[in-house]
Amino acid sequence: MVKSGTLILEVAARLLVPLQLLFSLFLLQRGHDAPGGGFIAGLVAAGGLALFLFAHGRQALRALLKVSPRDLVGLGLLIGVLSTLPAWWRGEPLFTAQWWRIPIVGLEISTPLIFDIGVYLAVIGSVLTAIIALVETDRDDTIR
Amino acid sequence: MEPVLAVTIGILFAAAIYMMLRRSIVKLVIGLMLLSNAANLLVFVTAGLTRDAPPLVPPGMSMPAGVVADPLPQALVLTAIVISFGVLSFAVVLVHRAWEVVRTDDLDQLKETDT
Amino acid sequence: MQLAVLAGFVTAGLAPLLHHWLGARTALAMALLPASLVLWLLWQWPLIAAGETLLLAWPWVPALEISLTFFLDGLAWLFALLICAIGALVLVYSGDYLRDDPAQPRFLVLIVAFMMAMLGLVLADNLVTLFIFWELTSLTSYLLIGFHHTDPAARKAALQSLMVTAGGGLALLAGLVMLALAGGSWSLAELAGRGDAVQDHALHGPLLVCVLLGAFTKSAQWPFHFWLPNAMAAPTPVSAYLHSATMVKAGIYLLARLHPVLGSSDAWVVTLTLVGGLTMALGACLAIRQTHLKILLAYSTVMALGAMTLLLGIGTRAALAAFIVFLVAHALYKGALFLVAGILDQATGTRDLTGMGGLRHAMPWTALVAGLAALSLAGLPPLLGFIGKEALFSAVLEAPLLRGIALSLAFLAALLTLAVAALILLRPFFGARREMPRRPREGSPAMLAGPALLAGLSLWLGLVPHGLEVLVTATVQGLGVREAAVHLTLWHGVTLPLGLSLASLLLGALVVRHWDGLRARSARLEPFMTLGPEGGYGALMRGWMRLAEAQTRWLQNGHLRSYLVMTLLVLLGLVGHALFVRNGLSRASMPSVQLHEALVAALMVSGAVTACLMRSRLAAVAALGAMGFSIALTFVLFSAPDLAITQLLVETLTVVLLALVLYRLPRFAILSTPLRRLRDLVVASLVGGLVGLLMLSVLGGERLPRISGYMIANGQPLGHGHNLVNVILVDFRALDTLGEIIVLGLAATGVFAMLCLRPGSAADRRDEGPGENDHG
């Protein structure tokens, strides 16, 4: 199960995975106003990456991600914790939401959005860590 | 609809517990999955069901018009679903490791290896 | 003062270090601490003599009304002085007694810690603080009795004393809490003035029982007296200090301290008089049977403790005065006698009275000290013990309740005590010389100094009792009796107490004469001794162990199933009881059910049931997937789009996960017997039915107000979001979400650790048995 070897899956994965990642980002961004959000977006992205993993193997996934999924877990948690700090710095209780508007683009940035990004990364990292670990042992078994 | 779902949840609980009482460790895991699904559904149903009124505020308004479904249990259940996935993957891998080491999925034999 | 006690604990901890630097002189150095406390106490004497109290406030946990406040009145001053003075002497003595023992530093740590705990106990004003120090004395005493921890008998005795005193300590804790509730204060000083309020309170009965249990176990009153003789397994300085002068008196101290609060009820008077009188007579009777010097002394201590309880029970002014005199006298002579016993033990190598004799030539100074102390014990003039005994008799003669019983018990105890004293003096030091394991020689000055000082004080205070009068007056005032001028003298004139003393002297002499015959006769009673309280204690402990073993085998049998079944049955019982009996079932109304919704529910049920019945693993997983998707459908139907999406995605990933793992696990096998499956089915159906009924009842019952109204109203204005679920997740309840992603991360880390960070595969193969060991 390291690499499927089927051409259809490989090609489909190449096409589908970028779409799925893009879709997940879209879900993440709109999550505050419509169904979606960090958990759902994270699961969609993890599903897409898992598809890529089955089609092209772990090395390819590693090359695509550039980082280990475990680092994603840590990064997600770190972002989640950091997003609580601006409120603290302004003398309000932790987790109090802060909103900033970037003047030129008209984009809104907020600590809840940053926090949701943390959730997104943590979910991707956790799911991929588990699946990759299982695929790894799978290869061990075939060698054995 | 709530009474129907209440009975359904009761059956799910019964199935979950029956599977958790089996000697095979794989069945235990299946029982665990049934249990977490049943519990999620229980929280969701107990809070009351609302048809066709998702907890969304229409664009340009500051409050939903009319009654909407309670968003709080939905938020609780949403995280619970993801966490039960995390727990499930942990349990599955634990079972897998136990099988690799002791080569049995019988809990009674597993107990004997605990020396 | 608090600093002194705390510093004392620190000093105790430093003892091994000091021992490293100072060697054998450590004990002397450590004795400086109690000695300086003695000087401080003496410096406070004018204040105490004037009947004042000194309050040293020190808040500790103000929110819980726990303070480390110390207060010093006559009673506390007297006990503190005894603790520090005898403590200093015992430390000097033990420096020589344990000179060659490599464990001496440990001994010093424990005894100084004990000393400070005891000091804290008698000075504490707060009930909680008092209890903490009380338990500390039990604990340090346990370690001291078991000091020779390689000796099984010592360990057993230590455990016994811990069980008895700590068990009593638990009762005491309950009693003190009730006392604070009844009196409305945690401060002893404030409680002293609220005796009436406490005695009228509904908790007075249970409170009294609990407090008395604590005091009686600590002070070895009948039927808890048996641990004290067994505690003689401790090194002799410990016996001298803990089991004559201090720890056993903690219970007596507590009784005296609470006398103003609880002392005027009939229950108190009758209980203390009876238990004290019985303990006194029993202690004396058991003492006379012994030949082991230390155990004989221990039983005579039991007798003295009983006498003090009796006097506190009588509770008149004369009785309280007699209590103080008796307390001082006993501390002086019993401390001295125990220390002499230690000297004899080291000099002769035996502790058996029948094996000693004629030692007065080899050990003249020891003989002199022992003689003075024994005469005081016997209650002969002109020693302090005589004044104490006379005061005891006259107090008993004035007793308001149970005068006849108390008097006869006191008389019996007095004559037997006289016999005990005579034996202690005559057997080792007079008569013919006997062969002993060691060649006897005089004790060293450091060891003789302590007992000599104590015995000398017995004599001096007996001849000049005026110094004691002021102290007794001040202390009795502290016990709640005003206008308490006490007059002490050796010669009262020809009175009834004097007659009783003379009669007990004659009868006591008779007992001494026929001691060997009496012992032989009482030996025939030996089989019945196991029926006493000690036998009861043994049976209790054995039964307890058996119960623990049985319930462990039954409940903790290592089968997950039994744990689950047990838990579920308890759940069924409790929740079922609450649901059916206390609440009553309420019927849910039947709102509209639409066909497609009912179909989804049916799909869910069939998925779950199929998953249970399938023999093939993949079919079971598929059935589970069907169930998961129908749950997602339910979320869609009832306005939860976020949940539906999440459930769908998780179901997909779950199937992937299970497919990765399950096909490498063995097929399902039928492992359980049909009977067991039926039992499980019954349990599962019961729990499922209960959950269903519970839900129906909840749905049909009264709805509590929702807490999400605020979130619905403020999601957009405050949270700037239109998806309320997401606003709750990342804004209103973001801390919960943070916790949840941490759990998720932990689960992933656990999975990774289990699968990828495994020990070398060779170790794994070894577990699989030698047959498969085909890898290098």
Side-chain angles (χ1 to χ4, degrees):
Chain A
M1 250 203 178
V2 149
K3 204 171 163 188
S4 69
T6 46
L7 188 64
I8 298 175
L9 183 59
E10 277 184 34
V11 175
R14 260 190 212 292
L15 290 173
L16 278 177
V17 169
L19 276 179
Q20 255 185 310
L21 287 181
L22 212 60
F23 181 56
S24 79
L25 285 176
F26 165 70
L27 281 175
L28 175 67
Q29 185 270 326
R30 73 161 206 165
H32 215 53
D33 293 327
F39 279 104
I40 293 172
L43 288 170
V44 168
L49 290 170
L51 182 65
F52 190 81
L53 171 72
F54 295 138
H56 297 279
R58 190 174 153 268
Q59 297 303 327
L61 179 68
R62 186 62 194 264
L64 182 75
L65 277 181
K66 307 282 192 296
V67 289
S68 152
R70 273 175 296 138
D71 298 341
L72 284 183
V73 179
L75 187 66
L77 292 182
L78 185 69
I79 290 176
V81 172
L82 285 181
S83 77
T84 69
L85 293 184
W88 181 64
W89 187 61
R90 289 181 56 172
E92 291 168 35
L94 281 181
F95 285 107
T96 309
Q98 308 293 322
W99 294 79
W100 303 281
R101 185 178 287 279
I102 298 172
I104 305 159
V105 199
L107 208 73
E108 273 195 335
I109 290 190
S110 61
T111 52
L113 183 65
I114 298 173
F115 184 78
D116 226 9
I117 293 172
V119 173
Y120 174 72
L121 292 177
V123 170
I124 297 181
S126 303
V127 174
L128 280 185
T129 305
I131 292 181
I132 289 180
L134 281 167
V135 171
E136 290 278 278
T137 51
D138 199 36
R139 191 188 48 196
D140 285 1
D141 279 3
T142 35
I143 290 169
R144 209 185 278 171
Chain B
M1 188 60 194
E2 281 100 335
V4 176
L5 280 176
V7 174
T8 311
I9 290 166
I11 297 172
L12 290 195
F13 263 95
I17 283 162
Y18 179 75
M19 288 306 263
M20 288 176 83
L21 291 174
R22 305 271 50 79
R23 261 165 75 181
S24 159
I25 199 167
V26 182
K27 289 191 179 176
L28 177 71
V29 172
I30 289 178
L32 207 60
M33 287 175 66
L34 283 167
L35 193 69
S36 59
N37 273 322
N40 289 342
L41 205 57
L42 184 137
V43 173
F44 181 69
V45 175
T46 315
L49 299 175
T50 316
R51 288 194 186 92
D52 302 325
L56 298 172
V57 181
M61 293 177 71
S62 70
M63 266 186 58
V67 178
V68 292
D70 194 343
L72 191 59
Q74 294 195 14
L76 293 179
V77 173
L78 196 149
T79 48
I81 293 173
V82 180
I83 286 203
S84 60
F85 173 72
V87 172
L88 177 77
S89 58
F90 187 82
V92 163
V93 170
L94 198 65
V95 168
H96 181 238
R97 272 300 275 160
W99 161 253
E100 275 189 340
V101 174
V102 296
R103 286 284 153 189
T104 177
D105 78 328
D106 183 354
L107 277 171
D108 281 16
Q109 285 178 34
L110 214 60
K111 174 178 174 264
E112 303 307 319
T113 60
D114 179 28
T115 46
Chain C
M1 193 63 198
Q2 284 94 336
L3 273 182
V5 170
L6 295 178
F9 279 114
V10 175
T11 319
L14 291 178
L17 201 63
L18 281 175
H19 190 263
H20 189 69
W21 289 333
L22 299 175
R25 286 188 302 279
T26 321
L28 277 176
M30 305 277 288
L32 287 177
L33 177 74
S36 55
L37 283 173
V38 168
L39 288 181
W40 184 82
L41 285 167
L42 290 176
W43 184 53
Q44 303 293 330
W45 167 240
L47 196 71
I48 304 299
E52 312 243 339
T53 58
L54 187 66
L55 202 70
L56 303 155
W58 181 315
W60 185 12
V61 192
L64 298 175
E65 288 185 52
I66 299 174
S67 69
L68 206 58
T69 298
F70 282 178
F71 87 113
L72 196 66
D73 62 352
L75 187 69
W77 187 87
L78 173 62
F79 271 92
L81 188 71
L82 285 177
I83 291 162
C84 293
I86 299 185
L89 295 177
V90 165
L91 273 175
V92 171
Y93 177 92
S94 63
D96 258 26
Y97 184 83
L98 291 171
R99 179 176 290 280
D100 304 323
D101 195 329
Q104 200 197 18
R106 180 157 59 92
F107 174 81
L108 291 173
V109 170
L110 293 175
I111 199 146
V112 173
F114 169 80
M115 196 182 292
M116 293 304 131
M118 200 61 212
L119 204 55
L121 167 61
V122 298
L123 292 176
D125 172 56
N126 187 278
L127 290 178
V128 176
T129 322
L130 176 112
F131 177 75
I132 291 172
F133 283 119
W134 176 283
E135 291 292 280
L136 273 177
T137 63
S138 291
L139 210 63
T140 41
S141 145
Y142 163 70
L143 293 170
L144 280 168
I145 296 173
F147 183 70
H148 298 301
H149 54 82
T150 47
D151 177 9
R155 287 203 305 268
K156 190 164 169 254
L159 187 64
Q160 190 183 48
S161 87
L162 183 71
M163 283 291 175
V164 174
T165 53
L170 287 181
L172 179 69
L173 177 62
L176 291 181
V177 170
M178 285 192 273
L179 180 63
L181 289 179
S185 169
W186 290 92
S187 158
L188 278 167
E190 283 176 30
L191 278 172
R194 299 187 191 169
D196 293 334
V198 173
Q199 287 177 26
D200 292 337
H201 200 273
L203 283 173
H204 179 247
L207 175 165
L208 194 64
V209 170
C210 286
V211 168
L212 289 185
L213 261 179
F216 287 174
T217 48
K218 194 79 159 185
S219 284
Q221 299 293 307
W222 181 87
F224 307 110
H225 61 276
F226 53 86
W227 71 263
L228 185 59
N230 290 340
M232 292 301 131
T236 303
V238 173
S239 308
Y241 190 45
L242 271 69
H243 306 123
S244 68
T246 55
M247 181 177 119
V248 290
K249 298 227 173 97
I252 301 291
Y253 166 79
L254 186 73
L255 291 178
R257 180 53 83 202
L258 293 179
H259 185 268
V261 191
L262 301 168
S264 52
S265 71
D266 276 359
W268 168 278
V269 173
V270 172
T271 316
L272 259 65
T273 309
L274 278 182
V275 170
L278 250 176
T279 309
M280 176 172 70
L282 190 78
C285 288
L286 290 171
I288 203 77
R289 294 176 63 249
Q290 301 297 326
T291 58
H292 187 294
L293 183 53
K294 277 182 76 180
I295 293 184
L296 189 144
L297 284 172
Y299 275 120
S300 99
T301 305
V302 171
M303 171 264 158
L305 293 169
M308 284 182 238
T309 309
L310 171 71
L311 287 171
L312 281 171
I314 294 172
T316 57
R317 187 176 64 98
L320 292 177
F323 161 69
I324 303 296
V325 178
F326 201 90
L327 175 81
V328 175
H330 176 257
L332 293 179
Y333 67 66
K334 195 54 65 68
L337 283 175
F338 263 114
L339 295 177
V340 165
I343 297 175
L344 282 178
D345 178 21
Q346 281 210 328
T348 64
T350 177
R351 291 173 183 178
D352 197 334
L353 278 180
T354 52
M356 298 184 211
L359 285 171
R360 69 180 187 279
H361 302 294
M363 312 169 73
W365 288 108
T366 313
L368 179 65
V369 169
L372 280 177
L375 287 177
S376 188
L377 167 66
L380 292 179
L383 289 127
L384 188 58
F386 175 69
I387 301 181
K389 194 174 69 171
E390 296 281 288
L392 169 70
F393 276 140
S394 37
V396 170
L397 283 171
E398 290 174 17
L401 291 168
L402 305 166
R403 188 180 303 159
I405 299 177
L407 188 64
S408 41
L409 288 174
F411 182 70
L412 179 67
L415 82 89
L416 289 175
T417 305
L418 194 122
V420 166
L423 290 171
I424 293 171
L425 183 59
L426 298 178
R427 282 284 165 156
F429 295 105
F430 292 87
R433 264 193 95 129
R434 282 166 211 258
E435 272 310 304
M436 279 164 276
R438 266 181 232 157
R439 212 183 117 77
R441 58 187 166 76
E442 187 60 278
S444 72
M447 289 177 75
L448 267 174
L453 192 62
L454 294 174
L457 268 175
S458 288
L459 179 62
W460 184 61
L461 286 177
L463 290 171
V464 196
H466 305 292
L468 200 56
E469 271 173 16
V470 189
L471 173 62
V472 173
T473 308
T475 315
V476 170
Q477 270 177 359
L479 291 178
V481 182
R482 296 285 145 212
E483 86 277 336
V486 178
H487 187 61
L488 299 175
T489 173
L490 271 178
W491 179 249
H492 287 281
V494 183
T495 52
L496 192 53
L498 188 69
L500 287 171
S501 290
L502 279 176
S504 66
L505 183 65
L506 291 175
L507 287 170
L510 267 177
V511 172
V512 175
R513 215 182 152 74
H514 299 290
W515 185 50
D516 291 309
L518 275 175
R519 248 188 322 119
R521 223 163 295 162
S522 78
R524 265 179 266 154
L525 291 172
E526 202 63 48
F528 298 102
M529 300 309 280
T530 52
L531 298 176
E534 185 166 14
Y537 167 83
L540 186 71
M541 294 306 280
R542 279 193 302 278
W544 202 330
M545 286 305 288
R546 231 172 276 153
L547 182 70
E549 280 169 18
Q551 72 96 18
T552 307
R553 260 197 307 276
W554 187 56
L555 290 175
Q556 311 278 322
N557 55 11
H559 289 284
L560 180 65
R561 291 189 310 282
S562 340
Y563 298 159
L564 263 177
V565 168
M566 216 95 69
T567 314
L568 290 172
L569 288 181
V570 171
L571 178 92
L572 270 174
L574 292 180
V575 178
H577 177 263
L579 186 62
F580 296 116
V581 181
R582 287 183 41 200
N583 196 29
L585 270 182
S586 52
R587 285 256 307 279
S589 57
M590 196 68 185
S592 61
V593 178
Q594 292 173 11
L595 184 64
H596 62 281
E597 293 170 357
L599 279 178
V600 169
L603 195 61
M604 227 184 283
V605 170
S606 56
V609 173
T610 318
C612 293
L613 297 179
M614 275 296 133
R615 296 289 305 280
S616 141
R617 293 155 301 168
L618 282 177
V621 170
L624 277 179
M627 185 198 72
F629 288 124
S630 39
I631 289 178
L633 268 180
T634 316
F635 290 147
V636 171
L637 289 175
F638 295 101
S639 334
D642 291 275
L643 286 192
I645 302 172
T646 315
Q647 175 80 19
L648 274 175
L649 292 166
V650 163
E651 268 322 308
T652 316
L653 286 170
T654 304
V655 171
V656 169
L657 191 77
L658 290 179
L660 275 176
V661 174
L662 275 188
Y663 82 97
R664 273 181 279 153
L665 293 176
R667 284 172 191 288
F668 292 159
I670 293 182
L671 295 167
S672 312
T673 57
L675 188 68
R676 175 153 281 164
R677 266 179 290 158
L678 186 67
R679 185 202 67 177
D680 294 346
L681 193 62
V682 168
V683 171
S685 318
L686 282 176
V687 176
L690 181 74
V691 171
L693 282 176
L694 193 64
M695 279 198 69
L696 284 178
S697 168
V698 168
L699 291 169
E702 203 180 323
R703 282 292 165 93
L704 294 174
R706 292 186 175 185
I707 55 170
S708 49
Y710 170 84
M711 296 169 184
I712 295 176
N714 290 305
Q716 209 285 322
L718 291 182
H720 299 274
H722 292 270
N723 180 359
L724 293 172
V725 174
N726 189 263
V727 172
I728 291 174
L729 278 177
V730 297
D731 196 341
F732 289 143
R733 310 221 38 101
L735 184 61
D736 296 354
T737 312
L738 183 66
E740 278 143 10
I741 56 175
I742 288 173
V743 172
L744 205 60
L746 281 178
T749 313
V751 168
F752 178 77
M754 271 193 292
L755 287 177
C756 302
L757 301 179
R758 49 181 64 190
S761 53
D764 276 354
R765 301 273 144 64
R766 217 172 23 246
D767 289 334
E768 291 166 12
E772 294 173 26
N773 198 354
D774 51 358
H775 293 264

